[in-house]
Short mmCIF file of all heavy atoms in Angstrom, two decimals:
data_model
loop_
_atom_site.label_atom_id
_atom_site.label_comp_id
_atom_site.label_asym_id
_atom_site.label_seq_id
_atom_site.Cartn_x
_atom_site.Cartn_y
_atom_site.Cartn_z
N TRP A 811 71.03 0.61 90.55
CA TRP A 811 69.58 0.54 90.54
C TRP A 811 69.24 -0.83 91.06
O TRP A 811 70.08 -1.83 91.10
CB TRP A 811 68.99 0.85 89.31
CG TRP A 811 69.46 -0.05 88.14
CD1 TRP A 811 68.89 -1.23 87.67
CD2 TRP A 811 70.65 0.19 87.35
NE1 TRP A 811 69.53 -1.73 86.60
CE2 TRP A 811 70.63 -0.85 86.34
CE3 TRP A 811 71.54 1.12 87.26
CZ2 TRP A 811 71.65 -0.97 85.35
CZ3 TRP A 811 72.55 1.00 86.31
CH2 TRP A 811 72.58 -0.06 85.37
N PRO A 812 67.94 -1.18 91.43
CA PRO A 812 67.57 -2.46 91.93
C PRO A 812 67.88 -3.55 91.00
O PRO A 812 67.64 -3.43 89.72
CB PRO A 812 65.95 -2.32 92.02
CG PRO A 812 65.88 -0.86 92.33
CD PRO A 812 66.84 -0.18 91.52
N GLY A 813 68.43 -4.64 91.40
CA GLY A 813 68.90 -5.77 90.62
C GLY A 813 67.98 -6.95 90.72
O GLY A 813 66.77 -6.86 91.09
N LEU A 814 68.44 -8.07 90.31
CA LEU A 814 67.65 -9.38 90.31
C LEU A 814 67.53 -9.81 91.76
O LEU A 814 68.19 -9.46 92.65
CB LEU A 814 68.38 -10.35 89.47
CG LEU A 814 69.73 -10.88 89.88
CD1 LEU A 814 69.65 -12.00 90.95
CD2 LEU A 814 70.60 -11.32 88.66
N THR A 815 66.54 -10.72 91.90
CA THR A 815 66.34 -11.44 93.14
C THR A 815 66.31 -12.92 92.79
O THR A 815 65.95 -13.25 91.61
CB THR A 815 65.02 -11.10 93.91
OG1 THR A 815 63.90 -11.60 93.17
CG2 THR A 815 64.95 -9.58 94.03
N ALA A 816 66.61 -13.86 93.72
CA ALA A 816 66.62 -15.23 93.43
C ALA A 816 66.18 -16.00 94.73
O ALA A 816 66.57 -15.71 95.77
CB ALA A 816 67.99 -15.77 93.00
N ASP A 817 65.30 -16.94 94.55
CA ASP A 817 64.82 -17.66 95.68
C ASP A 817 65.82 -18.81 96.02
O ASP A 817 66.06 -19.73 95.21
CB ASP A 817 63.38 -18.44 95.30
CG ASP A 817 62.95 -19.23 96.44
OD1 ASP A 817 63.34 -19.11 97.50
OD2 ASP A 817 62.09 -20.12 96.03
N THR A 818 66.46 -18.73 97.19
CA THR A 818 67.44 -19.72 97.55
C THR A 818 66.88 -21.11 97.84
O THR A 818 67.60 -22.08 97.93
CB THR A 818 68.24 -19.38 98.83
OG1 THR A 818 67.29 -19.16 99.94
CG2 THR A 818 68.87 -17.93 98.64
N LEU A 819 65.49 -21.14 97.89
CA LEU A 819 64.84 -22.47 98.03
C LEU A 819 64.49 -23.13 96.68
O LEU A 819 64.16 -24.30 96.52
CB LEU A 819 63.58 -22.35 98.89
CG LEU A 819 63.69 -21.90 100.30
CD1 LEU A 819 62.31 -21.68 100.82
CD2 LEU A 819 64.50 -22.95 101.07
N GLY A 820 64.75 -22.25 95.67
CA GLY A 820 64.31 -22.71 94.31
C GLY A 820 65.51 -22.73 93.36
O GLY A 820 66.59 -23.22 93.62
N SER A 821 65.25 -22.21 92.08
CA SER A 821 66.25 -22.37 91.02
C SER A 821 66.59 -20.95 90.58
O SER A 821 65.89 -19.96 90.67
CB SER A 821 65.78 -23.11 89.89
OG SER A 821 65.41 -24.44 90.24
N TYR A 822 67.82 -20.87 89.99
CA TYR A 822 68.28 -19.68 89.34
C TYR A 822 68.81 -20.06 87.97
O TYR A 822 69.73 -20.92 87.87
CB TYR A 822 69.37 -18.95 90.18
CG TYR A 822 69.92 -17.69 89.44
CD1 TYR A 822 69.15 -16.57 89.25
CD2 TYR A 822 71.28 -17.71 89.05
CE1 TYR A 822 69.62 -15.45 88.56
CE2 TYR A 822 71.82 -16.64 88.38
CZ TYR A 822 70.91 -15.51 88.21
OH TYR A 822 71.54 -14.36 87.56
N ARG A 823 68.26 -19.54 86.91
CA ARG A 823 68.57 -19.88 85.57
C ARG A 823 68.58 -21.46 85.31
O ARG A 823 69.48 -22.02 84.81
CB ARG A 823 70.00 -19.40 85.21
CG ARG A 823 69.99 -17.98 85.10
CD ARG A 823 71.45 -17.32 84.78
NE ARG A 823 71.43 -15.91 84.61
CZ ARG A 823 72.47 -15.10 84.31
NH1 ARG A 823 73.71 -15.73 84.18
NH2 ARG A 823 72.35 -13.83 84.22
N ASP A 824 67.51 -21.94 85.75
CA ASP A 824 67.14 -23.42 85.59
C ASP A 824 68.07 -24.37 86.37
O ASP A 824 68.01 -25.52 86.10
CB ASP A 824 67.15 -23.76 84.12
CG ASP A 824 66.06 -22.90 83.33
OD1 ASP A 824 65.01 -22.71 83.92
OD2 ASP A 824 66.39 -22.55 82.12
N LYS A 825 68.81 -23.86 87.28
CA LYS A 825 69.62 -24.77 88.09
C LYS A 825 69.26 -24.49 89.55
O LYS A 825 69.11 -23.35 90.07
CB LYS A 825 71.11 -24.44 87.88
CG LYS A 825 71.53 -24.81 86.40
CD LYS A 825 72.99 -24.58 86.32
CE LYS A 825 73.48 -24.90 84.97
NZ LYS A 825 74.97 -24.64 84.81
N PRO A 826 69.22 -25.55 90.39
CA PRO A 826 68.94 -25.36 91.85
C PRO A 826 69.96 -24.48 92.46
O PRO A 826 71.17 -24.64 92.26
CB PRO A 826 69.06 -26.81 92.39
CG PRO A 826 68.86 -27.64 91.26
CD PRO A 826 69.46 -27.00 90.10
N VAL A 827 69.48 -23.52 93.25
CA VAL A 827 70.48 -22.73 93.97
C VAL A 827 71.28 -23.51 95.00
O VAL A 827 72.40 -23.35 95.16
CB VAL A 827 69.67 -21.47 94.72
CG1 VAL A 827 70.63 -20.64 95.53
CG2 VAL A 827 69.09 -20.57 93.59
N LEU A 828 70.58 -24.34 95.78
CA LEU A 828 71.14 -25.16 96.76
C LEU A 828 71.07 -26.65 96.44
O LEU A 828 69.95 -27.09 96.23
CB LEU A 828 70.50 -24.94 98.18
CG LEU A 828 70.64 -23.53 98.74
CD1 LEU A 828 69.79 -23.32 100.00
CD2 LEU A 828 72.13 -23.23 99.06
N THR A 829 72.10 -27.35 96.48
CA THR A 829 72.15 -28.76 96.28
C THR A 829 72.82 -29.36 97.50
O THR A 829 74.07 -28.98 97.83
CB THR A 829 72.98 -29.11 94.99
OG1 THR A 829 72.34 -28.62 93.82
CG2 THR A 829 72.92 -30.63 94.83
N ILE A 830 72.15 -30.11 98.30
CA ILE A 830 72.55 -30.54 99.60
C ILE A 830 72.54 -32.06 99.52
O ILE A 830 71.56 -32.76 99.16
CB ILE A 830 71.63 -30.04 100.72
CG1 ILE A 830 71.65 -28.59 100.67
CG2 ILE A 830 72.15 -30.49 102.05
CD1 ILE A 830 70.60 -27.93 101.68
N SER A 831 73.67 -32.72 100.04
CA SER A 831 73.77 -34.13 100.19
C SER A 831 74.25 -34.55 101.48
O SER A 831 74.80 -33.62 102.29
CB SER A 831 74.75 -34.67 99.11
OG SER A 831 76.07 -34.06 99.24
N GLY A 832 73.93 -35.76 101.90
CA GLY A 832 74.40 -36.20 103.22
C GLY A 832 73.42 -36.18 104.37
O GLY A 832 73.68 -36.49 105.47
N ALA A 833 72.30 -35.67 104.02
CA ALA A 833 71.21 -35.60 105.00
C ALA A 833 69.82 -35.53 104.35
O ALA A 833 69.71 -35.12 103.16
CB ALA A 833 71.31 -34.36 105.86
N PRO A 834 68.70 -36.06 104.99
CA PRO A 834 67.40 -36.00 104.34
C PRO A 834 66.98 -34.50 104.16
O PRO A 834 67.28 -33.58 104.97
CB PRO A 834 66.47 -36.62 105.43
CG PRO A 834 67.40 -37.33 106.30
CD PRO A 834 68.72 -36.68 106.35
N LEU A 835 66.27 -34.30 103.08
CA LEU A 835 65.82 -32.93 102.72
C LEU A 835 64.32 -32.83 102.83
O LEU A 835 63.63 -33.80 102.58
CB LEU A 835 66.24 -32.54 101.34
CG LEU A 835 67.80 -32.48 101.04
CD1 LEU A 835 68.06 -31.98 99.66
CD2 LEU A 835 68.42 -31.57 102.06
N ARG A 836 63.80 -31.65 103.10
CA ARG A 836 62.37 -31.38 103.20
C ARG A 836 61.87 -30.79 101.91
O ARG A 836 62.62 -30.08 101.16
CB ARG A 836 62.08 -30.36 104.32
CG ARG A 836 62.54 -30.71 105.72
CD ARG A 836 62.36 -29.59 106.65
NE ARG A 836 60.93 -29.29 106.79
CZ ARG A 836 60.37 -28.26 106.24
NH1 ARG A 836 61.10 -27.38 105.50
NH2 ARG A 836 59.10 -28.07 106.38
N SER A 837 60.54 -30.91 101.72
CA SER A 837 59.87 -30.11 100.62
C SER A 837 59.49 -28.78 101.32
O SER A 837 59.00 -28.78 102.42
CB SER A 837 58.67 -30.85 100.11
OG SER A 837 59.00 -32.05 99.47
N THR A 838 59.69 -27.70 100.64
CA THR A 838 59.46 -26.46 101.25
C THR A 838 58.34 -25.65 100.53
O THR A 838 58.14 -25.89 99.23
CB THR A 838 60.71 -25.57 101.26
OG1 THR A 838 61.19 -25.44 99.99
CG2 THR A 838 61.83 -26.23 102.08
N THR A 839 57.70 -24.70 101.13
CA THR A 839 56.80 -23.78 100.50
C THR A 839 57.38 -22.35 100.81
O THR A 839 58.17 -22.15 101.63
CB THR A 839 55.40 -23.92 101.08
OG1 THR A 839 55.34 -23.61 102.48
CG2 THR A 839 54.85 -25.34 100.80
N GLY A 840 56.73 -21.38 100.12
CA GLY A 840 57.19 -20.04 100.32
C GLY A 840 58.58 -19.81 99.64
O GLY A 840 59.06 -20.66 98.97
N GLU A 841 59.14 -18.60 99.85
CA GLU A 841 60.37 -18.28 99.19
C GLU A 841 61.28 -17.50 100.18
O GLU A 841 60.84 -16.80 101.04
CB GLU A 841 60.15 -17.39 97.97
CG GLU A 841 59.37 -18.09 96.84
CD GLU A 841 59.06 -17.13 95.71
OE1 GLU A 841 59.56 -16.04 95.62
OE2 GLU A 841 58.45 -17.69 94.73
N LEU A 842 62.57 -17.67 99.93
CA LEU A 842 63.61 -16.97 100.68
C LEU A 842 64.57 -16.31 99.65
O LEU A 842 65.44 -16.96 99.09
CB LEU A 842 64.46 -17.85 101.60
CG LEU A 842 63.64 -18.45 102.78
CD1 LEU A 842 64.42 -19.55 103.47
CD2 LEU A 842 63.40 -17.33 103.81
N ARG A 843 64.26 -15.08 99.30
CA ARG A 843 64.85 -14.41 98.11
C ARG A 843 66.05 -13.55 98.54
O ARG A 843 65.94 -12.65 99.40
CB ARG A 843 63.90 -13.58 97.37
CG ARG A 843 62.69 -14.40 96.88
CD ARG A 843 61.82 -13.64 95.89
NE ARG A 843 62.47 -13.57 94.46
CZ ARG A 843 62.35 -14.53 93.69
NH1 ARG A 843 61.58 -15.57 93.93
NH2 ARG A 843 62.90 -14.45 92.55
N MET A 844 67.17 -13.90 97.99
CA MET A 844 68.39 -12.98 98.06
C MET A 844 68.21 -11.90 97.02
O MET A 844 67.50 -12.09 95.99
CB MET A 844 69.67 -13.74 97.86
CG MET A 844 69.77 -14.56 96.54
SD MET A 844 70.12 -13.53 95.09
CE MET A 844 71.73 -13.04 95.24
N VAL A 845 68.65 -10.73 97.36
CA VAL A 845 68.48 -9.58 96.38
C VAL A 845 69.84 -8.95 95.99
O VAL A 845 70.84 -9.05 96.67
CB VAL A 845 67.54 -8.55 97.09
CG1 VAL A 845 66.12 -9.02 97.22
CG2 VAL A 845 68.16 -8.03 98.37
N THR A 846 69.84 -8.26 94.94
CA THR A 846 71.09 -7.60 94.41
C THR A 846 70.85 -6.23 93.96
O THR A 846 69.62 -5.79 93.73
CB THR A 846 71.68 -8.37 93.30
OG1 THR A 846 70.82 -8.27 92.13
CG2 THR A 846 71.93 -9.95 93.66
N ILE A 847 71.88 -5.51 93.71
CA ILE A 847 71.76 -4.28 93.00
C ILE A 847 72.55 -4.40 91.76
O ILE A 847 73.46 -5.12 91.66
CB ILE A 847 72.28 -2.96 93.77
CG1 ILE A 847 73.69 -3.15 94.22
CG2 ILE A 847 71.28 -2.76 94.98
CD1 ILE A 847 74.25 -1.94 94.92
N THR A 848 72.14 -3.58 90.66
CA THR A 848 72.94 -3.55 89.40
C THR A 848 73.55 -2.22 89.28
O THR A 848 73.14 -1.23 89.77
CB THR A 848 71.93 -3.74 88.23
OG1 THR A 848 71.31 -5.00 88.47
CG2 THR A 848 72.66 -3.88 86.97
#
């Protein structure tokens, strides 16, 4: 059945989904959500 979704630009369970180092980062708006099934 339909599972959880998570914004790859944001956090999942209070932790950033993406942590990037070595280059300047932008502030973003909107969401890019990955989706799952259970």
Side-chain angles (χ1 to χ4, degrees):
W811 58 92
L814 63 86
T815 73
D817 179 19
T818 61
L819 297 174
S821 299
Y822 176 68
R823 293 184 177 174
D824 299 322
K825 294 182 179 180
V827 174
L828 295 172
T829 301
I830 304 174
S831 60
L835 300 183
R836 305 174 57 257
S837 295
T838 60
T839 62
E841 296 180 0
L842 291 167
R843 303 191 77 85
M844 54 77 68
V845 295
T846 68
I847 58 174
T848 302

